[in-house]
Amino acid sequence: MTVLLSDHTHSIELRPLRYQFPGVCGDPYDDNWLVIGGAVTTPEGGWTFADPCLLTHDARRLARWLRAVAGGTVAVTEPDTDGELSPDLDFTEPVLAFGLADADEGTATVRVHLSMEAAPPWQQGDDGLGIFQYAVEVRIAPEALLEAVRQWELELADFPDR
């Protein structure tokens, strides 16, 4: 099972793979890093990544945010006057972030920012592209988004806070 956000041209699969540190270290911060696996498909190409980029509470915060998007309670975020993108939801590690690009009665366009280890291979190491400036937009119905959240939460059940 994976969290799948997809439309007719883009797909993003995310899943928690394991804790970064399998044994409990006794540090509530280090004990709760999750390695997140991702598979991304766009018209430009596809790629995969695996990176310890979310804490357990970050992963649960993502579920709450996606549920709020499906419920229509998240505001659309436009690029700033310089055309720079800023996510609505970001985390300690600037690898994944999320924003709402558009919303109407029947769909939401979720913007998934992919930086550093999650960036496409042809963007990695490109110092000219700032953090959060590469994003994939996926147009998705609220019902499909809620199903993705349900799957994400099922996956997270194996990764409680330690």
Side-chain angles (χ1 to χ4, degrees):
M1 294 181 184
T2 59
V3 171
L4 177 63
L5 304 176
S6 67
D7 59 24
H8 63 283
T9 58
H10 302 91
S11 71
I12 299 175
E13 295 179 39
L14 298 174
R15 80 177 298 174
L17 299 175
R18 63 187 176 280
Y19 291 106
Q20 180 181 14
F21 304 109
V24 175
C25 309
D27 181 310
Y29 189 72
D30 285 342
D31 287 345
N32 291 296
W33 277 110
L34 294 175
V35 175
I36 303 299
V40 182
T41 303
T42 71
E44 295 85 23
W47 68 97
T48 61
F49 64 90
D51 189 69
C53 59
L54 294 179
L55 290 160
T56 53
H57 71 268
D58 291 334
R60 287 174 180 76
R61 191 163 54 114
L62 172 58
R64 289 189 302 274
W65 185 84
L66 290 170
R67 195 175 300 283
V69 168
T73 61
V74 174
V76 170
T77 303
E78 300 289 337
D80 68 17
T81 56
D82 294 327
E84 295 285 313
L85 297 172
S86 293
D88 299 319
L89 179 67
D90 60 358
F91 310 102
T92 302
E93 290 292 326
V95 174
L96 292 173
F98 296 83
L100 184 60
D102 190 25
D104 58 35
E105 192 65 31
T107 60
T109 303
V110 176
R111 183 183 296 128
V112 182
H113 300 262
L114 302 154
S115 299
M116 303 175 73
E117 291 83 359
W122 59 89
Q123 294 286 340
Q124 290 185 5
D126 182 355
D127 295 333
L129 189 66
I131 297 294
F132 302 137
Q133 298 311 300
Y134 183 87
V136 174
E137 294 184 357
V138 178
R139 191 162 184 80
I140 189 167
E143 304 79 33
L145 192 52
L146 288 173
E147 178 57 23
V149 171
R150 189 180 76 74
Q151 293 297 325
W152 181 247
E153 289 172 333
L154 283 172
E155 294 274 340
L156 290 177
D158 291 337
F159 301 99
D161 291 343
R162 303 190 294 179

